[in-house]
């Protein structure tokens, strides 16, 4: 028996006893964003891993092409491949992505430009072999970080495992944090002479702190506490209110919540603007806000990491204009696009080499002494006379440097305390912890997460501040960490009643 289908073609009607043909399984539809990601993956990976290092390497300069130079190329390409993987991953990995962004720019592209030009922002006082060893150890540390992150994959994780009540933001305590933020930031502004100084230059800020009498020649604790309490509570309160508004329709209908949020925006524009703050702190503020305002956006996550590369290459050298006032600012006449990378803040690899030379000169490893000084930063020197100094300051004074405000990357901090094995173990532990936190954040950072989810507030903040922790010195970065922990402890609750949590 035959019939004609709707298109006028003849077909045979199968009998009841005839088995039906197996269904044809079609592939699931592909979203346009996925197609875009796949189309951009190859040029992005090649650009970061191959083209950028080669573009820097072919520039003319007086650098020596030796083992340190070729190891630097290998490190840059390795970091570029890992950063590409972070940008293109289907799961947002905030801590790991921030780590590889820092490594790619501060330990990869910038030192490679310095090696090509034969110019460094901070002198390398030791033999060339110490620089070669430093680059090799950075590469070893990056590999150890990857090993740690791979070990974390075998561990069970996810939302709700072993924790029935997740940590949340307490509503009434958040109000106390807002009051604390306005009080501390207001004191900071008054001590420095008013809001106008925050829109002049960082040099004016430092001068204002010295005139306020909170900064001493032998101790920077007063300055650290004033700047920390003047900036950190305001930022954390802004992040909490930003997440509350983004995730709660009740908050968006509340004039009180909107009014407090706008007031916090104005406060942060004064105390946390890019003119009066170091560049790495502004990077912290920017990343924390982006990851908080767009809590589930993979596109914003990828854009933030990509934007970080552009900022490090273009924006950071330009922002040096805000460091000095009109009288002391001297524009640098550059004949090469690479020169700003060799003259600015990217001294991490060179300072690691200087730390190796410092240890080999007779200072020896500290076996946790530097780390103890960072953890116990608040202990005054009158109580602890032998309290360690910043690693960067200590090495800078040994070098005879005039400006001892030098970096000390986490590789150098681990090296000076624990040697090569301790450094590798510490980097592996960092990779393990970062991967575990990223997995938990990805599992809980969903649209169904409550407005007061604390992990959705803390992880973006840590991801932003990791640039400062990785750059070092740790002792210099510990003040703001402690203040942030105090603020977070103030607003944390495990209660689930309606009167306590954000709705």
């Amino acid at each position: 028996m035959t019939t004609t289908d709707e298109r006028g073609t003849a077909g045979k009607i199968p009998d009841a006893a005839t088995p039906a043909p197996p269904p044809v399984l079609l592939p699931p539809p592909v979203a346009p964003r996925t197609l875009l990601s796949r189309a951009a993956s190859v040029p992005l990976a090649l650009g970061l891993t191959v083209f950028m290092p080669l573009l820097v390497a072919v520039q003319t300069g007086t650098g020596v092409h030796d083992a340190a130079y070729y190891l630097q190329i290998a490190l840059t390409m390795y970091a570029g491949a890992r950063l590409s993987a972070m940008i293109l991953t289907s799961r947002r990995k905030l801590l790991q992505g921030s780590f590889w962004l820092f490594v790619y720019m501060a330990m990869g592209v910038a030192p490679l430009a310095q090696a090509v030009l034969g110019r460094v922002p901070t002198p390398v006082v030791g033999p060339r072999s110490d620089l070669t060893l430093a680059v090799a150890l950075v590469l070893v540390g990056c590999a150890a970080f990857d090993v740690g992150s791979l070990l974390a994959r075998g561990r069970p994780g996810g939302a709700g495992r072993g924790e029935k009540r997740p940590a949340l933001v307490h509503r009434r305590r958040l109000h106390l944090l807002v009051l604390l933020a306005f009080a501390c930031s207001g004191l900071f502004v008054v001590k420095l002479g008013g809001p106008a100084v925050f829109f002049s230059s960082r040099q004016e800020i430092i001068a204002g702190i010295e005139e306020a009498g909170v900064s001493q020649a032998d101790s920077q604790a007063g300055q650290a506490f004033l700047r920390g309490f003047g900036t950190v509570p305001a930022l954390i309160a802004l992040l909490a209110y930003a997440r509350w508004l983004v995730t709660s329709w009740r908050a968006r209908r509340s004039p009180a919540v909107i009014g407090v949020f706008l007031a916090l925006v104005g406060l942060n524009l004064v105390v946390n603007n890019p003119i009066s703050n170091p560049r790495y702190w502004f990077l912290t503020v920017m990343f924390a806000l982006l990851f908080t305002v767009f809590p589930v956006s993979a596109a914003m996550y990828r854009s933030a990491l990509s934007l970080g590369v552009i900022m490090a290459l273009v924006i950071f050298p330009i922002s040096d204009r805000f460091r000095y006032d009109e009288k002391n600012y001297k524009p640098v006449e550059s004949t090469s696009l690479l020169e700003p990378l060799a003259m600015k803040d990217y001294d991490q690899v060179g300072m690691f080499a200087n730390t190796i030379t410092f240890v080999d000169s007779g200072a020896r490893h500290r076996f946790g002494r530097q780390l103890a000084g960072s953890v116990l930063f608040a202990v005054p020197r009158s109580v602890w006379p032998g309290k360690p100094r910043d690693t960067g300051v200590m090495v800078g004074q040994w070098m005879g440097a005039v400006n001892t405000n030098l970096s000390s990357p986490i590789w150098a901090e681990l090296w000076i305390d624990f040697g090569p094995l301790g450094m590798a173990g510490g980097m592996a532990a960092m990779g393990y912890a970062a991967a575990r936190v990223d997995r938990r954040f990805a599992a809980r950072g969903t649209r169904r997460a409550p407005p007061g989810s604390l992990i959705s507030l803390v992880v973006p903040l840590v991801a932003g501040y990791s640039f400062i922790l990785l750059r070092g010195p740790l002792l210099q970065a510990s003040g703001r960490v402690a203040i942030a922990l105090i603020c977070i402890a103030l607003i944390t609750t495990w209660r689930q009643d309606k009167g306590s949590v954000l709705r």
Side-chain angles (χ1 to χ4, degrees), residues 240-266:
Y241 266 81
R243 173 168 175 79
W244 192 5
L245 285 171
V246 166
T247 57
S248 171
W249 62 269
R250 290 188 179 93
R252 291 192 293 272
R253 293 184 178 181
S254 171
V257 175
I258 296 175
V260 173
F261 172 74
L262 294 177
L264 287 170
V265 170

Side-chain angles (χ1 to χ4, degrees), residues 192-238:
L192 268 63
V197 70
F198 289 85
F199 299 95
S200 55
S201 67
R202 295 200 293 274
Q203 186 179 14
E204 291 290 334
I205 293 289
I206 296 174
I209 291 175
E210 292 176 350
E211 292 177 1
V214 296
S215 180
Q216 302 175 1
D218 59 343
S219 177
Q220 300 296 321
Q223 177 184 165
F225 273 101
L226 181 62
R227 297 195 72 156
F229 277 105
T231 57
V232 175
L235 175 60
I236 295 179
L238 176 64

